[in-house]
Amino acid sequence: MTEPLLDVRHLAVSFPARSGETRVIDDFSLQIAPHEIVGLVGESGSGKSTIALALIGLVRHPGRIAGGEIIFEDRDILTLDDDDLREIRGRSISTITQKPRQSLNPLLSVGRQISTVYRAHNEATRQEGARKAVELLEMVGINDPERRVTAFPHELSGGMAQRALIAMALSSAPRLLIADEPTSGLDVTIQAQFLDEMWDSVQATGSAVLLVTQDLGIIANYCDRVVVMGEGRVIEDAPVKTFFAAPQHEYSRRILSLQRAEPHQALDDVDSEAGSLVAVNGLRKVFELASGDELIAVSGVDFNIRRGRTLGLVGESGSGKTTVGRALLRLVEPTAGTITFDGDPIENLDVKSFRGLRDRLQVVFQDPFDSLNPRWTIERIVREPLDLHTDLTKEEKRTRVMETLEMVGLSASVAKLRSRRLSAGQQQRVSIGRALITEPDFVVLDEPTSALPAAAQAEIIDLIARLQHELGISYLYISHDLTTVEYLCHDVAVMYLSQIVEHGTREQVFGDPQHPYSRALLASHLYPDPTSRRVDRDVRETLTGEIPSPIDLPVGCYLASRCPVAVPECQTAPQELIAQPDGRKVRCWRITESDLDWAELESGEAG
Amino acid sequence: MTFSVDLHTDEELQEGLAKATPPWARIRGNGLLIVGLVIVAASLFLAVFGEALAPYDPQVPTGDIAQPPSAEHWFGTDATGLDIFSRVIAAPRTDVTIALAAAVVSLVAGTLIGLPAGFYRGFGSELIMRISDVIQSFPVFILAMILVALGGRSTINLVIALAFLYTPIFIRLTRSEVLSQRSRTYVESARALGNSEGRIALIHVLPNSLAPALIQASVTIGWGILLTAGLSFIGAGVRPPTPEWGLMISNGANGIILGEWWPSVFPGIAISLTVFGYAAVGNTLEQSYGS
């Protein structure tokens, strides 16, 4: 091994506890070589973020570094005085934290903040600093950097704020970059853009990166080595391919189980002639904003969900996928369109009659803690649908609740607890149990795993698949996580800016996406598979530019301004969903054009 | 234990909460809260048993006129010969009862009005809030005087006047908590499960929105005692010779220039201590609720 850039030996961090101290980091050792990208994974609470801070000699109040050495460029960071430390922080070691908005000073423009950091470590005049800020913003892919450099943090979207923070971290061309979940909160297409840049810069300059993340896709595609943390120490340290092929530790095996599982058995068993349970036609939802503007959240959405099947609705934030699910359940009133459930139109039912149907149409939300009444016991929460929709006796209800808890994999002992006592995964099981206790025909699953730690995600997905197999429920599965969509769904609809742009079977959409947006989305998705890494492929199909505002939608195709295959007519001609010979529907008239050669585009201009 | 590392995800946050100290442990470590609770308990105890425990009848002159504190009359006697100690410990039956009743009435009324005002926004909600603004923009003491003058000097009228003044506070507190609770996902879940809007408001949102108003109620009782005493002091409260702290201060005020400090000072201390006790309980609860 080459001389390590960073050598951490037996690091310990402790926090005061009621009696004495708790070591949250104990005997943590790690080496990072130049050119290396090291992924740091571990259960939430295992001390990942504490490590990210401790490496630059910082600990959150009231903790302290209790021992060990951090050798960086032949000096022990822990023994340096403040001046030397300041010299290293920000210049030789940069840090990118989560929560970009909270990390920026709300009173200063982003340009000013970037230039301050730059000038702290470089001899530069104010003007040079300002110029550098524009350059850096351009480098991290922000459109119109001259204008954005004067923007204040609240004027930036979360994604842009994150990129500004990245620009700040890169301003001194650091030898080591510590990035703590740098892409959480970014959409996949933008995430891919940032990680590509990071990878390129590591290859070009010989710097190194410690990447703290829960996302196995990022690890597999960008990291050279994986370090797994558990209870404050390293429990596994392996090259990325070894880690994915033969994980040593129990925790590693658990988080990898989702990736390795074959699509659930139930997907193939289903009768393909199964009748339609839910049909949506021309669904439209327009929100009136306080400013008087209209926000078109959903327009012209059609789909069918067959009995016992799952339709996956995928798209980035703001695509309208969540609104579709809520409009379907009349949690928001659709502006237009028809909804048929089990043969009957339900969009015009009065509130009371619809309420009577709710035992058959259920939903599981994203945030498991927030979806449960914090004052109620789990038993009361799970029992509530029975109280509302059945005339069972107290004893019968109790039996049903216990059966349901068992069905979703919870022990009877949780019945007496309140939700805050449970882990996020257990809370989501409660939510699922509550949705299923009335034996519904149809359940909307609105990002049910995205608020969960990696290991719990895998378990919840398995549970969802198993319950469909056992109970024959139909799902609308809303998610931006393509791995889980591929695992669970029979059919997939891709949404972009309020519309479905492609709708077909899972094999069609995942195997051979047709719409330019679906192609870009799938290309940006990071599969947890280190044998086919994004960085090893030359195909880098990314969209350019930013998503148009849903308040002021383009006249023509909504993707025209970002699309690699757009021709001038696309700017003015609205697109319809066109049925293709293989049965799928695609909202792009270009894909049947003879002059369109994807192979050429992929190796050429889009690469 | 404050385990402040890595509190990013919900799960960790909840683990942190689950490990948080139980309420009784917090009370044990908080001197201010203990003092407050002792005072509150004492005031409630005296409101019930004060008159029975008094060594002399608080409304019948003893014959010893204007005596300074002594072994016989611990706090002395006033110009008409009434025993000050007996009157000081009998007074909570008036002061605390009026303030407590007013706080309970305004808490109930404020919650019942604030709940729909927050849950169903719209014209009605705006109207309620503007009326609350108007009531709250008057100086409390003067408005209380006017209300008592209109209704006449009686215990019931004092309770009504105080409750009227304090209700807007509870409307506002409940409404703002309801506004934040109604956007929580559990409310939408309740809707998706088939709850009616009224049931969601009463069964789900209300119990989760009560804490700020309940905490405020303690502080309000303190204010109510002060206002009751103040009104009696200027002659707009209860009628003499009812044992009441404000009335006693008022009666004793003339004697102060003659050096007779005891008829005013002891009821004054009683008011201060009681108001302090209720405020201490309210404030410490508020702080622990926020954290």
Side-chain angles (χ1 to χ4, degrees):
Chain A
M1 193 168 167
T2 49
E3 178 76 1
L5 180 66
L6 178 78
D7 187 359
V8 184
R9 294 175 199 157
H10 315 295
L11 182 68
V13 175
S14 58
F15 281 79
R18 219 170 306 174
S19 53
E21 284 189 323
T22 317
R23 292 228 159 162
V24 295
I25 305 292
D26 196 8
D27 199 15
F28 178 92
S29 298
L30 172 73
Q31 295 188 334
I32 301 178
H35 282 293
E36 219 180 6
I37 301 182
V38 177
L40 182 62
V41 297
E43 227 145 344
S44 43
S46 60
K48 303 188 298 284
S49 296
T50 308
I51 281 289
L53 271 181
L55 292 187
I56 50 172
L58 296 176
V59 184
R60 247 172 246 171
H61 183 79
R64 67 181 187 93
I65 292 179
E69 292 174 328
I70 303 173
I71 311 291
F72 177 76
E73 291 179 335
D74 304 324
R75 291 195 289 181
D76 183 359
I77 285 182
L78 297 179
T79 60
L80 295 181
D81 61 27
D82 280 357
D83 282 343
D84 289 336
L85 262 181
R86 213 172 296 128
E87 183 72 29
I88 288 180
R89 289 182 194 148
R91 170 184 273 179
S92 305
I93 305 181
S94 280
T95 313
I96 302 173
T97 55
Q98 285 179 320
K99 303 185 180 170
R101 242 180 254 270
Q102 289 173 31
S103 305
L104 290 170
N105 183 336
L107 293 176
L108 299 177
S109 70
V110 284
R112 177 90 179 273
Q113 296 184 53
I114 297 170
S115 108
T116 307
V117 173
Y118 178 71
R119 289 177 57 221
H121 299 291
N122 298 280
E123 290 291 326
T125 63
R126 204 169 272 268
Q127 283 77 15
E128 283 165 350
R131 229 181 358 258
K132 188 72 187 172
V134 176
E135 245 171 65
L136 284 163
L137 284 182
E138 193 165 10
M139 195 182 91
V140 294
I142 288 187
N143 284 349
D144 198 1
E146 282 87 0
R147 192 166 60 84
R148 291 275 161 65
V149 86
T150 62
F152 287 87
H154 71 271
E155 295 172 294
L156 303 177
S157 69
M160 275 196 283
Q162 185 64 288
R163 280 185 275 173
L165 215 63
I166 291 165
M168 209 182 285
L170 299 179
S171 69
S172 55
R175 301 273 297 136
L176 174 67
L177 178 67
I178 300 168
D180 187 0
E181 301 272 5
T183 57
S184 65
L186 296 188
D187 276 320
V188 285
T189 52
I190 290 159
Q191 165 178 292
Q193 207 173 317
F194 160 65
L195 293 170
D196 287 349
E197 276 156 18
M198 183 195 76
W199 200 81
D200 289 342
S201 114
V202 166
Q203 303 313 312
T205 64
S207 53
V209 179
L210 178 69
L211 194 62
V212 180
T213 182
Q214 291 223 33
D215 187 329
L216 292 173
I218 295 178
I219 300 274
N221 282 278
Y222 293 96
C223 293
D224 302 306
R225 235 169 77 217
V226 185
V227 173
V228 185
M229 271 189 87
E231 289 173 2
R233 69 188 77 203
V234 174
I235 54 176
E236 181 160 3
D237 183 344
V240 67
K241 284 192 176 139
T242 320
F243 173 76
F244 279 87
Q248 294 304 307
H249 197 272
E250 163 64 25
Y251 171 73
S252 317
R253 280 198 288 275
R254 209 147 45 88
I255 56 174
L256 283 168
S257 65
L258 171 65
Q259 172 253 330
R260 278 209 303 246
E262 290 300 309
H264 201 267
Q265 199 63 44
L267 293 196
D268 308 311
D269 288 355
V270 156
D271 176 9
S272 59
E273 297 300 307
S276 161
L277 179 71
V278 177
V280 172
N281 271 300
L283 187 70
R284 182 177 171 82
K285 176 63 193 176
V286 178
F287 290 103
E288 307 256 346
L289 301 182
S291 59
D293 291 319
E294 289 192 331
L295 186 150
I296 300 169
V298 177
S299 67
V301 164
D302 305 334
F303 58 75
N304 246 311
I305 301 173
R306 282 174 287 172
R307 285 176 199 279
R309 291 221 162 191
T310 305
L311 172 67
L313 202 54
V314 301
E316 294 179 280
S317 55
S319 60
K321 55 188 193 303
T322 292
T323 309
V324 169
R326 298 176 59 204
L328 198 61
L329 298 172
R330 300 268 301 271
L331 294 173
V332 295
E333 285 299 319
T335 311
T338 61
I339 304 166
T340 313
F341 174 66
D342 205 7
D344 303 314
I346 55 171
E347 77 277 0
N348 286 323
L349 279 184
D350 62 273
V351 177
K352 233 180 166 162
S353 321
F354 197 90
R355 208 174 284 148
L357 263 182
R358 290 202 184 275
D359 57 337
R360 302 182 60 195
L361 295 162
Q362 275 296 343
V363 60
V364 175
F365 290 104
Q366 172 174 3
D367 183 338
F369 176 65
D370 208 42
S371 343
L372 306 175
N373 188 329
R375 299 184 68 87
W376 285 17
T377 61
I378 302 304
E379 179 177 358
R380 188 169 175 200
I381 288 171
V382 176
R383 196 186 60 216
E384 190 183 19
L386 297 179
D387 293 337
L388 293 166
H389 296 284
T390 68
D391 298 319
L392 300 176
T393 65
K394 235 177 158 179
E395 271 317 299
E396 288 168 329
K397 283 178 186 168
R398 213 187 131 70
T399 315
R400 281 280 289 280
V401 169
M402 292 307 161
E403 285 167 4
T404 305
L405 288 179
E406 194 190 332
M407 181 175 79
V408 296
L410 290 169
S411 77
S413 60
V414 304
K416 293 270 165 283
L417 300 177
R418 276 170 235 283
S419 58
R420 66 171 181 278
R421 295 273 174 184
L422 306 187
S423 72
Q426 290 173 317
Q427 287 167 359
Q428 199 59 294
R429 288 171 190 270
V430 172
S431 222
I432 292 170
R434 174 176 65 180
L436 296 184
I437 196 164
T438 54
E439 296 171 353
D441 305 286
F442 175 61
V443 179
V444 173
L445 303 163
D446 187 357
E447 305 250 18
T449 61
S450 59
L452 305 180
Q457 279 188 11
E459 291 169 14
I460 292 292
I461 291 296
D462 271 340
L463 176 69
I464 290 170
R466 179 170 64 82
L467 291 172
Q468 178 170 54
H469 190 58
E470 288 170 7
L471 309 170
I473 319 163
S474 308
Y475 292 137
L476 175 64
Y477 182 75
I478 300 169
S479 180
H480 66 271
D481 179 2
L482 296 176
T483 311
T484 59
V485 171
E486 187 173 10
Y487 181 70
L488 275 178
C489 300
H490 305 83
D491 298 303
V492 177
V494 180
M495 279 191 83
Y496 179 70
L497 270 182
S498 81
Q499 297 176 328
I500 290 180
V501 294
E502 180 158 359
H503 184 181
T505 64
R506 175 186 54 187
E507 289 74 19
Q508 287 168 344
V509 176
F510 278 88
D512 178 27
Q514 291 291 315
H515 193 279
Y517 179 74
S518 320
R519 300 180 73 95
L521 190 68
L522 283 161
S524 312
H525 183 64
L526 303 172
Y527 287 90
D529 175 9
T531 56
S532 156
R533 286 153 58 107
R534 182 180 162 86
V535 291
D536 299 334
R537 288 176 268 157
D538 347 326
V539 188
R540 293 218 188 155
E541 252 176 11
T542 38
L543 301 169
T544 52
E546 287 166 16
I547 303 175
S549 159
I551 297 168
D552 184 21
L553 285 170
V555 187
C557 172
Y558 292 169
L559 193 65
S561 61
R562 305 175 71 197
C563 180
V565 299
V567 292
E569 293 95 301
C570 293
Q571 307 278 359
T572 51
Q575 297 294 306
E576 298 296 324
L577 266 183
I578 306 165
Q580 302 299 312
D582 62 357
R584 77 172 94 187
K585 292 181 195 146
V586 181
R587 195 181 290 272
C588 181
W589 58 295
R590 288 276 291 152
I591 58 163
T592 49
E593 302 264 308
S594 53
D595 65 324
L596 196 64
D597 185 347
W598 282 112
E600 186 189 313
L601 272 162
E602 277 165 14
S603 55
E605 66 225 62
Chain B
M1 182 173 80
T2 49
F3 198 73
S4 66
V5 227
D6 272 1
L7 284 182
H8 303 137
T9 67
D10 276 347
E11 192 186 27
E12 287 157 338
L13 197 64
Q14 288 137 35
E15 279 171 10
L17 283 175
K19 285 175 195 154
T21 35
W24 56 89
R26 234 182 272 164
I27 289 175
R28 208 166 35 195
N30 191 327
L32 189 61
L33 184 61
I34 294 171
V35 172
L37 285 173
V38 167
I39 294 173
V40 166
S43 78
L44 294 174
F45 176 80
L46 290 177
V48 180
F49 301 108
E51 199 164 332
L53 290 174
Y56 299 90
D57 186 326
Q59 302 205 25
V60 177
T62 55
D64 299 327
I65 289 174
Q67 296 294 310
S70 62
E72 207 169 327
H73 301 287
W74 292 355
F75 291 175
T77 58
D78 70 3
T80 54
L82 295 168
D83 178 59
I84 305 289
F85 178 74
S86 301
R87 286 175 67 76
V88 165
I89 64 166
R93 173 156 306 173
T94 311
D95 287 296
V96 175
T97 308
I98 290 174
L100 191 67
V104 168
V105 171
S106 53
L107 173 68
V108 172
T111 310
L112 291 181
I113 300 169
L115 176 66
F119 197 74
Y120 308 96
R121 279 179 300 186
F123 178 73
S125 168
E126 282 304 305
L127 188 68
I128 289 169
M129 295 322 290
R130 295 298 81 80
I131 293 173
S132 300
D133 286 344
V134 171
I135 297 173
Q136 286 194 291
S137 61
F138 274 100
V140 175
F141 197 75
I142 294 176
L143 193 56
M145 272 170 57
I146 295 170
L147 289 171
V148 176
L150 289 175
R153 289 169 68 182
S154 73
T155 309
I156 284 291
N157 281 339
L158 272 172
V159 171
I160 292 171
L162 263 54
F164 179 78
L165 288 169
Y166 294 144
T167 299
I169 298 168
F170 292 102
I171 293 179
R172 215 172 277 285
L173 278 172
T174 307
R175 177 176 175 271
S176 73
E177 190 61 25
V178 168
L179 279 175
S180 88
Q181 291 290 331
R182 70 199 278 274
S183 61
R184 298 269 306 265
T185 316
Y186 75 82
V187 173
E188 190 160 32
S189 296
R191 199 165 286 134
L193 293 174
N195 283 280
S196 65
E197 291 301 300
R199 200 182 127 96
I200 292 173
L202 283 172
I203 309 284
H204 286 276
V205 176
L206 181 62
N208 281 300
S209 307
L210 278 179
L214 284 173
I215 289 163
Q216 176 65 30
S218 174
V219 179
T220 305
I221 294 171
W223 294 351
I225 290 168
L226 199 59
L227 192 55
T228 308
L231 287 171
S232 303
F233 182 84
I234 61 158
V238 293
R239 294 171 189 278
T242 316
E244 197 285 328
W245 292 326
L247 211 53
M248 291 169 71
I249 297 174
S250 166
N251 288 338
N254 296 329
I256 288 190
I257 47 169
L258 305 173
E260 293 169 7
W261 52 270
W262 58 92
S264 294
V265 167
F266 289 112
I269 292 171
I271 292 176
S272 313
L273 269 180
T274 317
V275 174
F276 167 78
Y278 282 95
V281 171
N283 284 337
T284 39
L285 288 181
E286 190 176 2
Q287 278 161 20
S288 69
Y289 173 72
S291 65

